[in-house]
Amino acid sequence: MTQPRDFSMYGAVDLGARQAAAQRRQQQAARAASASGAADGTPSAGSESAFVFDVTEETFNDDVALRSRTTPVIVDLWADWCGPCKQLSPVLEKLAGEANGAWVLAKIDVDANPRLAQAFQAQSIPMVVAIIGGQMVDAFLGAMPEAQIKQWLAQVLSVADQLGVAPAGAGADSGSGSGDAFDDLPPALSEARDAMETGDLDGAAQALEKALADVPADPLAKSWLAQVNLMRRVSSVEPADAARDAAERPDDVEAQLLLADFEMASGDAEQAFDRVLAVIKRTSGAERNTARLRLLDLFEVLPPDDERLKKARTQLTLLLF
């Protein structure tokens, strides 16, 4: 297994490409309709199900990055001109159906979504990537036999167990030997999980705030709420606008904090922490407290044993005391 790294597409996705991507998807849907019933194994929208779905640059953060907080997401990067993709994708789709929710398959057409391919640093396809808890934990290239794919999936799901990421009610045929990690969630957390999986960030936040009202120190609720609030803050602004505003207004606390949010969401936690720490260092009073609270919120996104988190906590203590 490769070393996990933070993974989110905020800052990497060119939102200006939405129109072109939408047009491409319409063309793909037309081709899929005309080729219905074909036996060549070409991935298509017709293969979508509860456990297999297409992902675009505009849906990635909800469907993959956020969903991976509660369910392992396997990403299949493919193209309709790719011969090996036609062999691999149907196998992955079949295994996703058999897993019955223990993990889900997100398919990305690299032609329609070139910025996603770039973000994954995909030099060749097919490329299959495992995303767990917002982190890219492993990947492989090329078409592998089904038996080897099952072995790889078993390793991925073992990592998911270790990270505490497993959906409630996952099927027994998943091959993971798990799936019960979230079976006994309190109602508020269960509601929040369901809202997160459907991309309802406001609903998830409300449920998590209720969960924390009942149990203020619940670490899972605190972590989920920090992640949801981060997504809410960055989803309302274009990444390029946030970067420009921060560059043009270096003394604007809100502009710097927003760019730190984007840096955190794109996986650069160290840069995000350094930016907020710099704000805390040069401000005082209400502005300093605003920055301090934002940093504490960003701390909750990472696991407590993360070395970057430990370093930033130490720096914060030195600044405040």
Side-chain angles (χ1 to χ4, degrees):
M1 302 292 287
T2 59
Q3 180 68 28
R5 65 179 177 86
D6 289 335
F7 200 84
S8 175
M9 299 310 305
Y10 281 112
V13 174
D14 180 4
L15 298 182
R18 287 179 176 178
Q19 183 176 4
Q23 292 173 347
R24 177 57 183 260
R25 289 196 301 276
Q26 291 174 352
Q27 295 170 356
Q28 291 170 349
R31 286 199 302 270
S34 64
S36 178
D40 63 358
T42 302
S44 71
S47 63
E48 286 203 3
S49 69
F51 312 127
V52 180
F53 46 88
D54 291 317
V55 172
T56 67
E57 293 172 352
E58 55 190 321
T59 65
F60 183 94
N61 282 288
D62 286 343
D63 290 348
V64 177
L66 185 57
R67 187 167 186 172
S68 74
R69 304 291 180 180
T70 57
T71 303
V73 178
I74 304 301
V75 177
D76 175 20
L77 291 102
W78 65 278
D80 58 9
W81 47 262
C82 169
C85 297
K86 297 178 182 180
Q87 301 174 13
L88 178 64
S89 290
V91 176
L92 292 172
E93 292 168 11
K94 179 176 77 75
L95 293 176
E98 293 174 353
N100 195 31
W103 55 273
V104 294
L105 179 65
K107 302 191 301 179
I108 296 176
D109 180 346
V110 297
D111 286 343
N113 304 279
R115 296 302 295 270
L116 291 183
Q118 179 183 5
F120 278 105
Q121 300 179 0
Q123 300 299 314
S124 64
I125 56 173
M127 179 179 183
V128 178
V129 181
I131 308 292
I132 300 174
Q135 296 181 328
M136 176 177 170
V137 299
D138 204 10
F140 69 83
L141 296 173
M144 292 200 308
E146 182 174 337
Q148 292 185 25
I149 296 174
K150 287 182 175 180
Q151 293 176 355
W152 180 79
L153 287 169
Q155 293 178 332
V156 167
L157 293 174
S158 177
V159 172
D161 266 351
Q162 296 171 19
L163 295 176
V165 176
D173 295 332
S174 65
S176 68
S178 66
D180 299 323
F182 293 145
D183 280 348
D184 298 324
L185 283 177
L189 280 182
S190 180
E191 180 182 348
R193 178 202 61 208
D194 293 342
M196 289 167 66
E197 290 183 350
T198 61
D200 181 6
L201 300 182
D202 291 340
Q206 292 174 3
L208 290 167
E209 288 166 357
K210 182 179 184 302
L212 286 172
D214 295 336
V215 186
D218 188 327
L220 183 59
K222 291 171 66 176
S223 176
W224 282 4
L225 182 58
Q227 295 163 18
V228 166
N229 282 337
L230 176 62
M231 292 295 186
R232 294 168 82 192
R233 291 194 297 269
V234 299
S235 64
S236 61
V237 181
E238 298 284 357
D241 291 342
R244 185 194 63 243
D245 290 347
E248 293 178 350
R249 304 198 301 271
D251 295 327
D252 187 321
V253 172
E254 288 301 328
Q256 297 304 315
L257 296 184
L258 181 59
L259 184 55
D261 285 337
F262 276 99
E263 290 167 340
M264 188 71 181
S266 67
D268 196 349
E270 188 170 10
Q271 178 62 36
F273 292 159
D274 287 347
R275 183 175 298 278
V276 183
L277 286 166
V279 173
I280 294 172
K281 183 176 181 180
R282 68 172 183 265
T283 56
S284 61
E287 288 186 332
R288 170 178 264 207
N289 191 52
T290 296
R292 180 185 67 83
L293 293 176
R294 178 65 58 83
L295 185 60
L296 294 177
D297 194 46
L298 294 179
F299 282 170
E300 294 292 343
V301 174
L302 295 182
D305 59 349
D306 190 288
E307 291 301 322
R308 296 164 300 178
L309 174 58
K310 294 178 182 179
K311 177 183 175 182
R313 283 193 184 280
T314 299
Q315 292 175 314
L316 177 61
T317 300
L318 293 175
L319 284 176
L320 295 179
F321 302 101

